[in-house]
Amino acid sequence: MSRKDRIAEPWGTRTPYGPGQSWPVRVDTHLAQGVTPDDVNRWVPTASILHSNGDGMDIAVKDGRIVGVRGRADDRVNHGRLGPKDLFGWQANGSADRLTRPLVREGGRLVETDWDTAMDRIVRRTRELLDEQGPSALGFHTTGQLFAEEYYTLGVIAHGGLGTNHLDGNTRLCTATAAAALKESFGCDGQPGSYTDIDHADAIALFGHNMAETQTVLWMRVLDRLAGPNPPELVCVDPRPTPVARAARVHLAPRPGTNVALMNALLHEIIANDWIDRDYLDTHVVGFDELEKRVADYPPELAARICDVPAERIRAAARILGTAERLLSTVLQGFYQAHQATAAAVQVNNLHLLRGMLGKPGCGVLQMNGQPTAQNTRECGADGDLPGFRNWANDAHVAELARLWNVAPEQIPHYAPPTHLMQMLRYVEEGSIRLLWVSGTNPAVSLPELARVRSVLSQQRLLLVVQDLFLTETAELADIVLPAAGWGEKTGTFTNADRTVHLSEKAVDPPGQARSDLDIFLDYARRLELADKDGQPLITWHDPESAFRAWQECSRGRPCDYTGLGYAKLRERGGIQWPCGDDSPDGTERLYTDGGFWSDPDHCESYGRDLITGAPVEPVEYRAMNPSGKAVIKAAEYLPAHEQPDDEHPYVLITGRTLYHFHTRTKTARAPQLQAAAPEVWVELSVDDAASAGIREGDFVEVRTPRGSVRAAARITEIRDGVLFVPFHYGYWDTETGSEPGFDGGRAANELTLTDWDPASKQPIFKTAAAALRRIGPGAGPAPAPTVGASAPAGPGIDGTRGGPEAEADENLGPAREGNPS
Ligand SMILES: Nc1nc2c(c(=O)[nH]1)N[C@H]1C(S)=C(S)[C@@H](COP(=O)(O)OP(=O)(O)OC[C@H]3O[C@@H](n4cnc5c(=O)[nH]c(N)nc54)[C@H](O)[C@@H]3O)O[C@H]1N2
Ligand SMILES: Nc1nc2c(c(=O)[nH]1)N[C@H]1C(S)=C(S)[C@@H](COP(=O)(O)OP(=O)(O)OC[C@H]3O[C@@H](n4cnc5c(=O)[nH]c(N)nc54)[C@H](O)[C@@H]3O)O[C@H]1N2
Ligand SMILES: [Mo]
C-alpha cells in the first residue's frame, strides 16, 4: 500500500506489463478526512460518471452519507484504478447548494414550490401546445449523463407518446460524430474494439484525443504498457503538447481544422507502400477504388503545406500505422468538433479497413465517447436516432417499434431524421418550439455563441424547464426548475465507450425533495395520461428494473442486444460488454471478428450521408452501393475551415478540457481538491506568439472573436504558433454576475465560438475560430493553469500543481502474479 498526492500525480504508480499479459491490479481508494475503512457501513457498486471510461467503483457510505470511493479490482475496465475526478468529485453530491425543491418563476423570480404545482404547470402547457400547434411545439434537450432506463423512457414519451421529432442530447456536442462515423463505415453505431486492445497493440494512434487528461485510467493502461517490455509505439495528432504528444514516438501538430488533409496523406502513404490487406478489402469492403483515387491527390508534401507539419514526420507516422501488426486507434474531439468531423473520423475507420485490422486482439478502432452514458443516449433513441439503433428511414424498423409500443406507425415521427439540437435551438429562436425541457445539461455554458443562446433561452414565449442537481446558468433562465437525484442517489445502468454495461446502485437518499429523472419522466407521462392505441398506459413500467426490462425487449435482435443482461447478472458479474443475448451470454469483447457487419440494407441503422453536404443517402442508392452488407470506405476531399484567421483576427482559437474539471464544473468545482488545482480560466499561447505580442506568463489578456470576448491570464506553453487554447469549463454560476458575463468581459469560452456544424453529424465546431489577442495588463503571478498536462508552462520557475494531504489516495497494488513483471 502506498499513498500518493493524486492531484500532483494524477496517474499514480506504474504497474508495468507486456504484450498479451493481463493488466495488473491496483486498487485506488480515497475517503474523507478522518474516515477509515473500518468506519464504512456499506460499499455500494457503481461506475465512474465524470468521463466515458466506465471505471468500476464502490461508493463508501457512512451514516447515510457518501464518504469516499474505491476502485473495483475485478472490473474489466479499470482493474481497481480511479482517476482524480472520481477520487474527489463525489463530494459534490453532499454540497449544501443542491436543489432540494422545485422552483417556478413568479414575477420574474424563481420561487420554491411543490411538485404538484411544478408538474401541473408543465402538463397544462404541454396540453395547450398540443391542441394549438401539435407535437412540433415540444422539444427535449437531454444529456449523456442519465441512465439507460431514463433515456428509454424519455424516448418513448417523445417519439411514441407525444409524437415530436424534437428530441436530442448534448451528445450532439459530444459524440454525434462517433455515431455518424461508425454508421458510415459499418452501417451501425457500436465500437468495434475493446479496451483490452491496449494489452495487445504494438502501435496506438490517438487522433485529437488527449486521453491522458480525459480518460486518465485508460491512459494509466497505456503508460503501464509503455513502462513494460516490448511497448507499443504511439502516434499523436494534436496541435497541443499534451501528455499524449510527449509520450508519442511521432507527434503531428497540425493547424487546427486540417485533419482531413492529414488523414488523406497518411492513407496516401499506406496505399503507395502497399501496406494494405487486399484479401480483406476484396472480401469485406466496398469503396476502395474511390479512396485510392481521392488520396492519390494528397502526397505528404501537400498535406505538409496545408497542415504545417513536416512531410517527413507524416511519412514516419504512416510507417508506424502501415507496418504495425496490431494497431489500435482512438478518435475524439480534436476530430469531432470540426467542420469536417465525420469526413475525418471516417478516414480512421478507412485506415483499419485498408489494413484489415478489426475484430482481432490489439486491432480496434475506438470512436470514443466522452460522457459516461452517451452510448445509452444513442442506443435508447434520445439523441436523434430511434431506439435499438433502428433506422428512421426504414419503414420496417418503424413498424417494429410501433408494434412494441402498441401505437400506430404514423404516431412515430419518421418523415425526416430526428431534429438535431442546433436546429432545435433555431426553432426555439423562431418561436415554433414553445416548450423546451432541458435535462442534465447546461447549454447556457456548453453551446456555441453564448450571447445568442442566452437570448434564445430567455424569450418570454418559451416555457423553459430545467432538470438539474444545481441552480446552473441555464436553470437561472428557466421558468420551472426540477431538482433531480444524481449518481449514487438512484439506480440504473450505463454503458461506457467499449460497450461495457454497469449497474449503478443507489447508495444514499437524494437531498430534500429531489427525485430521480426516471421518476420525473414517469410522473409526466402519467399526468399527461399518455396512452397506446388501445387506450392503455403507454408506459408500462414503474421503476428502474422494470424500465430496464422494457429496454431489453426493445433491443432484442438488434446490434446492441441487452436481452442476456439483467440486474441480477450485472450485480453478480460487474461490467459486461454488449451484445449480450442468447448466443453471447457472457457478452462480446470485439465486434466484426468474422468480417461481417450490420450494414445489410434491411438491418443497418443508417443509409449514410454525403460527407461533404450531409444529404442523406436514399435507400435505393444504398442498396445498389452495398447490397450484401459489407463495410463501406468513403473518401473525402479536404475543405478549409469556414472561419480563417485574417489581419484583424490573426489567431486560431481552440477550446477543450483540463484534467481536473468536468465540463461546466457543477461537480468538480464543488470538490475542493479539484477546484484548487484549476481555480480560474486561462488562455494558452506559444512562446513566440507571447514574445511578439509582448505578453508574459500570467499577464491579463483579452481574447476576442466576432461573437464576444473572454478575459483571462496568459499561460505560455509549447502549443503550436498561431493557436490559442481556452478551457471551456468556466461559466458564471460562481461569479458575482450569475448567469451572464460581467461588465468587463466574459469567462466562458463559448462567448467566442461560432454557430456552425459538421454537415454529416451536425456536431458543432468548437475547435476552430479566428481570434484576436490583446494584453490588458500584468497579472498577479503565473496563470492559474495546471502545470500537469497540456497547460504545463514552457519554461521553468512555476510551482507545480499539488493537492497536499487532502488529495492523497491509497494505492493498493495487487499481489505480484503472472503478467506483472515487477
Ligand atoms: N478531465 C476531463 N475529462 C473528461 C471531460 C472533462 O470535461 N474533463 N469530458 C468528457 C467528455 S464529455 C469528452 S467529449 C471527452 C473529450 O476528450 P478529448 O477529446 O480528449 O478532450 P478535448 O480537450 O476536448 O480535445 C482533445 C484535443 O483536441 C485537440 N485539438 C483541437 N483542435 C484540433 C484539430 O484541429 N485537430 C486535432 N487533431 N486535434 C485538435 C486539442 O488540442 C485537445 O488536446 O473527455 C471526457 N473526459
Ligand atoms: N467550447 C466548447 N464547448 C463545449 C465543448 C468543448 O470542447 N468546447 N465540449 C462539448 C461537449 S463534448 C460536451 S459533452 C458538452 C457538455 O456540456 P454540458 O452537458 O452542458 O455540461 P455539464 O456541466 O456536464 O452539464 C451537465 C448538467 O447536468 C447536471 N447533472 C448531473 N447529473 C445529473 C442527473 O443525474 N440528473 C440531472 N437531471 N442532472 C444531472 C449537472 O449538474 C450539470 O448541470 O459541452 C460541449 N461544449
Ligand atoms: Mo463530451
Side-chain angles (χ1 to χ4, degrees), residues 32 51 89 111 129 152 188 192-193 246 267 331-332 336 383 406 418 458 474 486 538 544 596-597 637 653 693 742 813:
H51 48 79
V111 296
L129 288 169
Y152 183 60
C188 189
R246 295 183 207 274
L267 297 178
V331 193
L332 202 47
Y336 297 169
D383 77 325
N406 194 33
S458 47
T474 310
L538 175 73
F597 298 90
E637 67 190 295
L653 170 74
L813 302 188

PDB file of all heavy atoms in Angstrom, residues 32 51 89 111 129 152 188 192-193 246 267 331-332 336 383 406 418 458 474 486 538 544 596-597 637 653 693 742 813:
ATOM      1  N   ALA A  32     -13.008  10.466   2.938  1.00  0.00           N
ATOM      2  CA  ALA A  32     -12.988  11.797   3.552  1.00  0.00           C
ATOM      3  C   ALA A  32     -12.016  11.811   4.727  1.00  0.00           C
ATOM      4  O   ALA A  32     -11.776  10.769   5.357  1.00  0.00           O
ATOM      5  CB  ALA A  32     -14.400  12.164   4.028  1.00  0.00           C
ATOM      6  N   HIS A  51     -16.635  10.882 -17.036  1.00  0.00           N
ATOM      7  CA  HIS A  51     -15.995  10.663 -18.342  1.00  0.00           C
ATOM      8  C   HIS A  51     -16.581   9.365 -18.878  1.00  0.00           C
ATOM      9  O   HIS A  51     -17.416   8.742 -18.223  1.00  0.00           O
ATOM     10  CB  HIS A  51     -14.470  10.556 -18.211  1.00  0.00           C
ATOM     11  CG  HIS A  51     -14.074   9.626 -17.105  1.00  0.00           C
ATOM     12  ND1 HIS A  51     -14.095   8.273 -17.264  1.00  0.00           N
ATOM     13  CD2 HIS A  51     -13.743   9.866 -15.824  1.00  0.00           C
ATOM     14  CE1 HIS A  51     -13.760   7.717 -16.103  1.00  0.00           C
ATOM     15  NE2 HIS A  51     -13.554   8.656 -15.216  1.00  0.00           N
ATOM     16  N   GLY A  89     -14.514  13.833  -6.885  1.00  0.00           N
ATOM     17  CA  GLY A  89     -15.721  14.504  -7.401  1.00  0.00           C
ATOM     18  C   GLY A  89     -17.000  14.179  -6.651  1.00  0.00           C
ATOM     19  O   GLY A  89     -17.953  14.956  -6.691  1.00  0.00           O
ATOM     20  N   VAL A 111     -39.130  30.996  -7.415  1.00  0.00           N
ATOM     21  CA  VAL A 111     -39.517  30.775  -6.016  1.00  0.00           C
ATOM     22  C   VAL A 111     -39.815  29.295  -5.789  1.00  0.00           C
ATOM     23  O   VAL A 111     -40.197  28.567  -6.714  1.00  0.00           O
ATOM     24  CB  VAL A 111     -40.759  31.616  -5.618  1.00  0.00           C
ATOM     25  CG1 VAL A 111     -40.437  33.095  -5.709  1.00  0.00           C
ATOM     26  CG2 VAL A 111     -41.960  31.261  -6.504  1.00  0.00           C
ATOM     27  N   LEU A 129     -50.248  23.382 -25.890  1.00  0.00           N
ATOM     28  CA  LEU A 129     -49.442  23.427 -27.107  1.00  0.00           C
ATOM     29  C   LEU A 129     -49.822  22.307 -28.058  1.00  0.00           C
ATOM     30  O   LEU A 129     -49.859  22.494 -29.280  1.00  0.00           O
ATOM     31  CB  LEU A 129     -47.948  23.362 -26.759  1.00  0.00           C
ATOM     32  CG  LEU A 129     -47.396  24.645 -26.129  1.00  0.00           C
ATOM     33  CD1 LEU A 129     -45.999  24.411 -25.558  1.00  0.00           C
ATOM     34  CD2 LEU A 129     -47.348  25.783 -27.154  1.00  0.00           C
ATOM     35  N   TYR A 152     -34.525   5.738 -22.262  1.00  0.00           N
ATOM     36  CA  TYR A 152     -35.515   4.945 -22.988  1.00  0.00           C
ATOM     37  C   TYR A 152     -36.914   5.479 -22.687  1.00  0.00           C
ATOM     38  O   TYR A 152     -37.733   5.659 -23.595  1.00  0.00           O
ATOM     39  CB  TYR A 152     -35.386   3.460 -22.643  1.00  0.00           C
ATOM     40  CG  TYR A 152     -36.361   2.618 -23.434  1.00  0.00           C
ATOM     41  CD1 TYR A 152     -36.318   2.609 -24.831  1.00  0.00           C
ATOM     42  CD2 TYR A 152     -37.341   1.876 -22.801  1.00  0.00           C
ATOM     43  CE1 TYR A 152     -37.224   1.872 -25.572  1.00  0.00           C
ATOM     44  CE2 TYR A 152     -38.255   1.122 -23.536  1.00  0.00           C
ATOM     45  CZ  TYR A 152     -38.190   1.127 -24.915  1.00  0.00           C
ATOM     46  OH  TYR A 152     -39.097   0.410 -25.645  1.00  0.00           O
ATOM     47  N   CYS A 188     -23.721   0.869 -38.732  1.00  0.00           N
ATOM     48  CA  CYS A 188     -24.383   0.895 -37.437  1.00  0.00           C
ATOM     49  C   CYS A 188     -23.423   1.432 -36.380  1.00  0.00           C
ATOM     50  O   CYS A 188     -22.208   1.243 -36.477  1.00  0.00           O
ATOM     51  CB  CYS A 188     -24.813  -0.518 -37.065  1.00  0.00           C
ATOM     52  SG  CYS A 188     -25.864  -0.586 -35.610  1.00  0.00           S
ATOM     53  N   PRO A 192     -16.234  -1.080 -32.522  1.00  0.00           N
ATOM     54  CA  PRO A 192     -15.677  -2.377 -32.901  1.00  0.00           C
ATOM     55  C   PRO A 192     -14.722  -2.934 -31.836  1.00  0.00           C
ATOM     56  O   PRO A 192     -14.709  -4.123 -31.576  1.00  0.00           O
ATOM     57  CB  PRO A 192     -14.899  -2.063 -34.180  1.00  0.00           C
ATOM     58  CG  PRO A 192     -15.469  -0.791 -34.694  1.00  0.00           C
ATOM     59  CD  PRO A 192     -15.936  -0.028 -33.484  1.00  0.00           C
ATOM     60  N   GLY A 193     -13.933  -2.065 -31.208  1.00  0.00           N
ATOM     61  CA  GLY A 193     -12.830  -2.534 -30.378  1.00  0.00           C
ATOM     62  C   GLY A 193     -13.182  -2.678 -28.911  1.00  0.00           C
ATOM     63  O   GLY A 193     -14.335  -2.611 -28.497  1.00  0.00           O
ATOM     64  N   ARG A 246       3.715  14.145 -25.693  1.00  0.00           N
ATOM     65  CA  ARG A 246       5.052  13.986 -25.108  1.00  0.00           C
ATOM     66  C   ARG A 246       5.480  12.518 -25.061  1.00  0.00           C
ATOM     67  O   ARG A 246       6.672  12.218 -25.115  1.00  0.00           O
ATOM     68  CB  ARG A 246       5.095  14.591 -23.700  1.00  0.00           C
ATOM     69  CG  ARG A 246       4.890  16.105 -23.684  1.00  0.00           C
ATOM     70  CD  ARG A 246       5.003  16.667 -22.269  1.00  0.00           C
ATOM     71  NE  ARG A 246       4.240  17.892 -22.113  1.00  0.00           N
ATOM     72  CZ  ARG A 246       4.693  19.105 -22.411  1.00  0.00           C
ATOM     73  NH1 ARG A 246       5.899  19.253 -22.882  1.00  0.00           N
ATOM     74  NH2 ARG A 246       3.920  20.164 -22.241  1.00  0.00           N
ATOM     75  N   LEU A 267      -3.157   8.048 -45.540  1.00  0.00           N
ATOM     76  CA  LEU A 267      -3.717   6.942 -46.330  1.00  0.00           C
ATOM     77  C   LEU A 267      -3.000   6.838 -47.686  1.00  0.00           C
ATOM     78  O   LEU A 267      -2.783   5.736 -48.201  1.00  0.00           O
ATOM     79  CB  LEU A 267      -5.230   7.132 -46.525  1.00  0.00           C
ATOM     80  CG  LEU A 267      -6.053   7.107 -45.224  1.00  0.00           C
ATOM     81  CD1 LEU A 267      -7.533   7.356 -45.510  1.00  0.00           C
ATOM     82  CD2 LEU A 267      -5.887   5.796 -44.466  1.00  0.00           C
ATOM     83  N   VAL A 331     -10.194   8.070 -31.427  1.00  0.00           N
ATOM     84  CA  VAL A 331     -10.545   9.353 -32.048  1.00  0.00           C
ATOM     85  C   VAL A 331     -11.427  10.119 -31.080  1.00  0.00           C
ATOM     86  O   VAL A 331     -12.340   9.543 -30.489  1.00  0.00           O
ATOM     87  CB  VAL A 331     -11.345   9.132 -33.357  1.00  0.00           C
ATOM     88  CG1 VAL A 331     -11.432  10.417 -34.166  1.00  0.00           C
ATOM     89  CG2 VAL A 331     -10.756   8.002 -34.195  1.00  0.00           C
ATOM     90  N   LEU A 332     -11.147  11.432 -30.919  1.00  0.00           N
ATOM     91  CA  LEU A 332     -12.085  12.197 -30.089  1.00  0.00           C
ATOM     92  C   LEU A 332     -12.158  13.659 -30.551  1.00  0.00           C
ATOM     93  O   LEU A 332     -11.976  13.923 -31.749  1.00  0.00           O
ATOM     94  CB  LEU A 332     -11.781  12.001 -28.588  1.00  0.00           C
ATOM     95  CG  LEU A 332     -12.936  12.281 -27.604  1.00  0.00           C
ATOM     96  CD1 LEU A 332     -14.249  11.649 -28.015  1.00  0.00           C
ATOM     97  CD2 LEU A 332     -12.611  11.830 -26.197  1.00  0.00           C
ATOM     98  N   TYR A 336     -13.766  15.470 -33.823  1.00  0.00           N
ATOM     99  CA  TYR A 336     -15.231  15.535 -33.867  1.00  0.00           C
ATOM    100  C   TYR A 336     -15.796  16.952 -33.866  1.00  0.00           C
ATOM    101  O   TYR A 336     -16.889  17.175 -34.354  1.00  0.00           O
ATOM    102  CB  TYR A 336     -15.851  14.822 -32.660  1.00  0.00           C
ATOM    103  CG  TYR A 336     -15.604  13.336 -32.541  1.00  0.00           C
ATOM    104  CD1 TYR A 336     -15.929  12.667 -31.357  1.00  0.00           C
ATOM    105  CD2 TYR A 336     -15.094  12.590 -33.592  1.00  0.00           C
ATOM    106  CE1 TYR A 336     -15.733  11.306 -31.227  1.00  0.00           C
ATOM    107  CE2 TYR A 336     -14.890  11.221 -33.455  1.00  0.00           C
ATOM    108  CZ  TYR A 336     -15.211  10.585 -32.263  1.00  0.00           C
ATOM    109  OH  TYR A 336     -15.024   9.238 -32.117  1.00  0.00           O
ATOM    110  N   ASP A 383     -31.274  10.751 -28.788  1.00  0.00           N
ATOM    111  CA  ASP A 383     -30.276  11.677 -29.348  1.00  0.00           C
ATOM    112  C   ASP A 383     -30.419  11.872 -30.838  1.00  0.00           C
ATOM    113  O   ASP A 383     -29.431  12.092 -31.527  1.00  0.00           O
ATOM    114  CB  ASP A 383     -28.895  11.100 -29.149  1.00  0.00           C
ATOM    115  CG  ASP A 383     -28.647  10.013 -30.142  1.00  0.00           C
ATOM    116  OD1 ASP A 383     -29.612   9.302 -30.458  1.00  0.00           O
ATOM    117  OD2 ASP A 383     -27.532   9.912 -30.649  1.00  0.00           O
ATOM    118  N   ASN A 406     -47.187  -0.606 -29.123  1.00  0.00           N
ATOM    119  CA  ASN A 406     -48.615  -0.661 -29.413  1.00  0.00           C
ATOM    120  C   ASN A 406     -49.182   0.711 -29.775  1.00  0.00           C
ATOM    121  O   ASN A 406     -50.167   1.185 -29.199  1.00  0.00           O
ATOM    122  CB  ASN A 406     -49.386  -1.293 -28.229  1.00  0.00           C
ATOM    123  CG  ASN A 406     -50.801  -1.676 -28.635  1.00  0.00           C
ATOM    124  OD1 ASN A 406     -51.045  -2.063 -29.781  1.00  0.00           O
ATOM    125  ND2 ASN A 406     -51.747  -1.554 -27.711  1.00  0.00           N
ATOM    126  N   PRO A 418     -34.561  12.595 -36.908  1.00  0.00           N
ATOM    127  CA  PRO A 418     -34.901  13.363 -35.711  1.00  0.00           C
ATOM    128  C   PRO A 418     -34.120  14.679 -35.682  1.00  0.00           C
ATOM    129  O   PRO A 418     -32.969  14.746 -36.109  1.00  0.00           O
ATOM    130  CB  PRO A 418     -34.469  12.422 -34.579  1.00  0.00           C
ATOM    131  CG  PRO A 418     -34.588  11.049 -35.170  1.00  0.00           C
ATOM    132  CD  PRO A 418     -34.206  11.208 -36.607  1.00  0.00           C
ATOM    133  N   SER A 458     -34.004  32.883 -23.046  1.00  0.00           N
ATOM    134  CA  SER A 458     -34.747  33.736 -22.105  1.00  0.00           C
ATOM    135  C   SER A 458     -35.946  34.419 -22.752  1.00  0.00           C
ATOM    136  O   SER A 458     -36.545  35.312 -22.148  1.00  0.00           O
ATOM    137  CB  SER A 458     -33.800  34.740 -21.442  1.00  0.00           C
ATOM    138  OG  SER A 458     -32.982  35.343 -22.403  1.00  0.00           O
ATOM    139  N   THR A 474     -28.097  27.821 -16.794  1.00  0.00           N
ATOM    140  CA  THR A 474     -29.303  27.545 -17.579  1.00  0.00           C
ATOM    141  C   THR A 474     -30.536  27.571 -16.678  1.00  0.00           C
ATOM    142  O   THR A 474     -31.571  28.146 -17.036  1.00  0.00           O
ATOM    143  CB  THR A 474     -29.189  26.184 -18.279  1.00  0.00           C
ATOM    144  OG1 THR A 474     -27.941  26.116 -18.963  1.00  0.00           O
ATOM    145  CG2 THR A 474     -30.319  25.986 -19.283  1.00  0.00           C
ATOM    146  N   GLY A 486     -29.068  12.477  -8.329  1.00  0.00           N
ATOM    147  CA  GLY A 486     -27.957  12.177  -9.222  1.00  0.00           C
ATOM    148  C   GLY A 486     -27.384  10.794  -8.985  1.00  0.00           C
ATOM    149  O   GLY A 486     -27.949   9.978  -8.242  1.00  0.00           O
ATOM    150  N   LEU A 538     -49.268   4.073 -22.029  1.00  0.00           N
ATOM    151  CA  LEU A 538     -48.171   3.822 -22.962  1.00  0.00           C
ATOM    152  C   LEU A 538     -46.954   3.266 -22.232  1.00  0.00           C
ATOM    153  O   LEU A 538     -46.274   2.357 -22.711  1.00  0.00           O
ATOM    154  CB  LEU A 538     -47.802   5.135 -23.661  1.00  0.00           C
ATOM    155  CG  LEU A 538     -46.589   5.092 -24.576  1.00  0.00           C
ATOM    156  CD1 LEU A 538     -46.912   4.333 -25.869  1.00  0.00           C
ATOM    157  CD2 LEU A 538     -46.112   6.507 -24.902  1.00  0.00           C
ATOM    158  N   PRO A 544     -36.717   1.423 -11.933  1.00  0.00           N
ATOM    159  CA  PRO A 544     -35.563   1.185 -12.804  1.00  0.00           C
ATOM    160  C   PRO A 544     -35.532  -0.230 -13.398  1.00  0.00           C
ATOM    161  O   PRO A 544     -35.302  -0.383 -14.605  1.00  0.00           O
ATOM    162  CB  PRO A 544     -34.365   1.430 -11.876  1.00  0.00           C
ATOM    163  CG  PRO A 544     -34.856   2.365 -10.840  1.00  0.00           C
ATOM    164  CD  PRO A 544     -36.307   2.021 -10.638  1.00  0.00           C
ATOM    165  N   GLY A 596     -17.950  -9.744 -40.744  1.00  0.00           N
ATOM    166  CA  GLY A 596     -19.368  -9.497 -41.028  1.00  0.00           C
ATOM    167  C   GLY A 596     -19.796  -8.214 -40.330  1.00  0.00           C
ATOM    168  O   GLY A 596     -19.347  -7.930 -39.230  1.00  0.00           O
ATOM    169  N   PHE A 597     -20.638  -7.430 -40.992  1.00  0.00           N
ATOM    170  CA  PHE A 597     -21.050  -6.130 -40.448  1.00  0.00           C
ATOM    171  C   PHE A 597     -22.568  -6.057 -40.345  1.00  0.00           C
ATOM    172  O   PHE A 597     -23.272  -6.912 -40.887  1.00  0.00           O
ATOM    173  CB  PHE A 597     -20.486  -5.008 -41.330  1.00  0.00           C
ATOM    174  CG  PHE A 597     -18.985  -5.002 -41.345  1.00  0.00           C
ATOM    175  CD1 PHE A 597     -18.274  -5.746 -42.299  1.00  0.00           C
ATOM    176  CD2 PHE A 597     -18.272  -4.318 -40.385  1.00  0.00           C
ATOM    177  CE1 PHE A 597     -16.882  -5.773 -42.287  1.00  0.00           C
ATOM    178  CE2 PHE A 597     -16.880  -4.338 -40.367  1.00  0.00           C
ATOM    179  CZ  PHE A 597     -16.187  -5.071 -41.324  1.00  0.00           C
ATOM    180  N   GLU A 637     -12.654  14.912 -49.832  1.00  0.00           N
ATOM    181  CA  GLU A 637     -11.636  15.922 -50.118  1.00  0.00           C
ATOM    182  C   GLU A 637     -11.534  16.858 -48.916  1.00  0.00           C
ATOM    183  O   GLU A 637     -12.495  17.016 -48.161  1.00  0.00           O
ATOM    184  CB  GLU A 637     -12.016  16.718 -51.362  1.00  0.00           C
ATOM    185  CG  GLU A 637     -13.259  17.553 -51.127  1.00  0.00           C
ATOM    186  CD  GLU A 637     -13.816  18.180 -52.388  1.00  0.00           C
ATOM    187  OE1 GLU A 637     -13.116  19.015 -52.952  1.00  0.00           O
ATOM    188  OE2 GLU A 637     -14.948  17.838 -52.760  1.00  0.00           O
ATOM    189  N   LEU A 653      -8.399  29.913 -32.658  1.00  0.00           N
ATOM    190  CA  LEU A 653      -8.788  29.587 -31.283  1.00  0.00           C
ATOM    191  C   LEU A 653      -9.312  28.153 -31.217  1.00  0.00           C
ATOM    192  O   LEU A 653     -10.174  27.767 -32.011  1.00  0.00           O
ATOM    193  CB  LEU A 653      -9.896  30.537 -30.822  1.00  0.00           C
ATOM    194  CG  LEU A 653     -10.560  30.139 -29.494  1.00  0.00           C
ATOM    195  CD1 LEU A 653      -9.640  30.438 -28.323  1.00  0.00           C
ATOM    196  CD2 LEU A 653     -11.898  30.842 -29.338  1.00  0.00           C
ATOM    197  N   ALA A 693       3.855  39.505 -29.048  1.00  0.00           N
ATOM    198  CA  ALA A 693       2.764  40.352 -28.545  1.00  0.00           C
ATOM    199  C   ALA A 693       3.154  41.038 -27.238  1.00  0.00           C
ATOM    200  O   ALA A 693       2.341  41.753 -26.644  1.00  0.00           O
ATOM    201  CB  ALA A 693       1.502  39.513 -28.356  1.00  0.00           C
ATOM    202  N   GLY A 742     -19.614  39.479 -16.862  1.00  0.00           N
ATOM    203  CA  GLY A 742     -19.538  40.731 -16.107  1.00  0.00           C
ATOM    204  C   GLY A 742     -19.324  41.911 -17.043  1.00  0.00           C
ATOM    205  O   GLY A 742     -19.195  41.753 -18.256  1.00  0.00           O
ATOM    206  N   LEU A 813      -1.451  -2.174  -4.492  1.00  0.00           N
ATOM    207  CA  LEU A 813      -1.040  -2.988  -5.636  1.00  0.00           C
ATOM    208  C   LEU A 813      -1.408  -4.430  -5.359  1.00  0.00           C
ATOM    209  O   LEU A 813      -1.147  -4.945  -4.271  1.00  0.00           O
ATOM    210  CB  LEU A 813       0.466  -2.859  -5.869  1.00  0.00           C
ATOM    211  CG  LEU A 813       0.952  -1.438  -6.117  1.00  0.00           C
ATOM    212  CD1 LEU A 813       2.419  -1.444  -6.518  1.00  0.00           C
ATOM    213  CD2 LEU A 813       0.135  -0.770  -7.218  1.00  0.00           C
TER     214      LEU A 813
END
